[in-house]
Amino acid sequence: MLQIRKLVSYKYCVMTSFRTYAANPISEKQIDDLRQFFLGFPGGSVDLKKDEKSKIAYIFLNNPERRNALSGKMMADLHDSVCELERWTSGKGVILHSSGPIFCSGGDLTTVKQISNPQDGDKMCEFMQHITQRLLNLPLVSVALISGRALGGGAELTTSCDFRAMTQNAEISFVQAKMGVATGWGGGTRLVKIVGRRNALKALLSCEKIDAKRAAEIGLVDYVIEENEDPLNGVSSWLERLLSHDETVVRSIKNVVTVAEYLPPLESLQVERSEFAPLWGGKANKAALQQNIKHK
Ligand SMILES: CC[C@@H](C(=O)O)C(=O)SCCNC(=O)CCNC(=O)[C@H](O)C(C)(C)COP(=O)(O)OP(=O)(O)OC[C@H]1O[C@@H](n2cnc3c(N)ncnc32)[C@H](O)[C@@H]1OP(=O)(O)O
């Protein structure tokens, strides 16, 4: 019993510190200073809704006048949404979405023009890398629903989820090179992991419009919305099917996969063990054993 308690407390410590560490090692005070700084650039909002029935949350990018560009204030909102989701212990999934013909047109140019110097650029990079990595590392399975075009920072945002769903008219373009910069929100690093070095280099240098067909070829998209399907309903049903297990199982699987990406194998195995033990003989496991399931 003591051993299991130790494992559970080990799991709690590793996963709590890990989530911030794997984002980037900055203090609470630094994060708060960055949040205050970016709150000073208004426009739009990022809205969070949690559905306790399906256990799926929805993060909505809301800045239609500027084609859902991300203002400084929206970066701070996104940070707050991610923090709230870290505290949502009964959740299983999260969908990042927006409405209109542009999923996200990148950084809000009104904000961008006011911080156009290397020092502030570094601040934005630090803040956005931190937020997007924390989003990716949530114990929730995440999907970016790209309904329309995703440009620049918007393309980077699509890489901060476990999966990507695209509508037939969606296009992802890493236009950073055309803007005279490279990626800065962590999208370059994550893109290499998703599509590999050569495809990432091609996408970043060509600034090409990657439609659903091309995205499928390079492994950038996981679900393409059917012609007559409602995008949000379609992706929600797809995610619900994938997450049909008990939340304790879904969250443990997500944690195991997350740590395996960052920690050395021996440490990752230790986390896997600490996730496994409380599930073994637990509620979901006992229910499954009683059903005499045949995996045909
Ligand atoms: C900070 C990260 C950085 C990076 O790493 O690259 C960035 O992301 S920088 C931003 C990169 N994105 C852009 O440069 C987008 C430029 N805009 C466009 O290409 C087009 O506007 C569009 C997004 C393809 C939409 O075209 P369309 O549907 O034809 O609408 P309009 O062009 O008429 O735009 C409507 C309205 O929205 C404003 N807008 C669009 N994008 C942004 C943006 N990123 N920031 C602020 N405002 C934006 C646009 O100016 C129009 O406003 P009005 O002129 O006042 O109507």
Side-chain angles (χ1 to χ4, degrees):
M1 194 60 194
L2 188 65
Q3 175 68 359
I4 299 297
R5 262 201 222 119
K6 264 199 209 151
L7 278 173
V8 172
S9 110
Y10 172 81
K11 166 184 148 174
Y12 180 79
C13 290
V14 172
M15 291 317 297
T16 309
S17 59
F18 173 78
R19 229 157 260 137
T20 333
Y21 163 77
N24 50 20
I26 54 178
S27 67
E28 290 289 325
K29 161 94 174 68
Q30 281 170 295
I31 301 166
D32 199 50
D33 289 349
L34 287 166
R35 184 178 170 280
Q36 288 304 329
F37 176 77
F38 283 102
L39 271 176
F41 303 93
S45 64
V46 174
D47 309 322
L48 175 67
K49 203 180 83 187
K50 288 179 287 184
D51 180 356
E52 296 291 348
K53 192 159 168 270
S54 66
K55 299 181 189 293
I56 292 177
Y58 295 84
I59 300 178
F60 183 65
L61 306 178
N62 181 25
N63 194 2
E65 293 80 20
R66 295 177 187 167
R67 298 295 189 262
N68 298 320
L70 221 66
S71 66
K73 189 253 179 199
M74 289 170 74
M75 294 175 194
D77 281 0
L78 184 60
H79 165 269
D80 297 351
S81 299
V82 171
C83 290
E84 190 171 335
L85 290 175
E86 282 172 351
R87 294 189 294 268
W88 192 36
T89 52
S90 58
K92 291 188 194 180
V94 55
I95 296 174
L96 175 66
H97 71 124
S98 64
S99 68
I102 309 287
F103 164 74
C104 174
S105 61
D108 183 337
L109 293 167
T110 319
T111 300
V112 167
K113 284 173 191 163
Q114 292 178 74
I115 57 166
S116 178
N117 63 76
Q119 289 73 26
D120 289 342
D122 186 48
K123 276 188 192 166
M124 178 183 69
C125 192
E126 187 170 39
F127 194 43
M128 283 305 289
Q129 283 190 359
H130 184 81
I131 298 166
T132 50
Q133 281 300 111
R134 273 172 85 164
L135 172 56
L136 185 61
N137 294 342
L138 284 170
L140 309 170
V141 176
S142 51
V143 187
L145 168 56
I146 308 146
S147 52
R149 296 182 64 188
L151 297 102
E156 293 198 55
L157 268 190
T158 70
T159 65
S160 65
C161 290
D162 297 307
F163 298 112
R164 275 145 297 284
M166 288 173 82
T167 53
Q168 304 277 340
N169 65 336
E171 285 168 350
I172 304 173
S173 333
F174 291 86
V175 296
Q176 282 80 353
K178 281 194 190 168
M179 304 295 292
V181 291
T183 51
W185 292 1
T189 301
R190 292 187 295 262
L191 188 65
V192 172
K193 291 191 178 200
I194 299 166
V195 300
R197 180 182 171 132
R198 285 169 58 242
N199 285 323
L201 202 50
K202 240 184 262 172
L204 296 172
L205 289 173
S206 69
C207 307
E208 67 184 310
K209 290 177 180 168
I210 304 172
D211 61 13
K213 183 169 171 285
R214 174 78 186 130
E217 280 166 13
I218 62 175
L220 186 56
V221 67
D222 302 278
Y223 182 71
V224 180
I225 308 286
E226 302 276 336
E227 202 77 64
N228 296 319
E229 198 175 20
D230 174 77
L232 196 54
N233 285 343
V235 75
S236 299
S237 309
W238 179 78
L239 188 58
E240 274 186 61
R241 283 196 296 279
L242 196 63
L243 307 184
S244 61
H245 317 285
D246 192 80
E247 73 257 25
T248 54
V249 175
V250 170
R251 293 169 70 91
S252 280
I253 289 175
K254 174 67 194 279
N255 284 344
V256 168
V257 169
T258 303
V259 293
E261 198 181 351
Y262 298 99
L263 294 183
L266 286 181
E267 283 174 54
S268 173
L269 285 169
Q270 184 66 17
V271 172
E272 188 166 339
R273 183 178 162 197
S274 69
E275 291 287 348
F276 175 80
L279 293 178
W280 187 251
K283 174 179 66 139
N285 183 222
K286 283 210 165 107
L289 291 173
Q290 270 162 17
Q291 285 175 44
N292 188 26
I293 297 174
K294 305 265 186 252
H295 306 282
K296 289 187 178 168

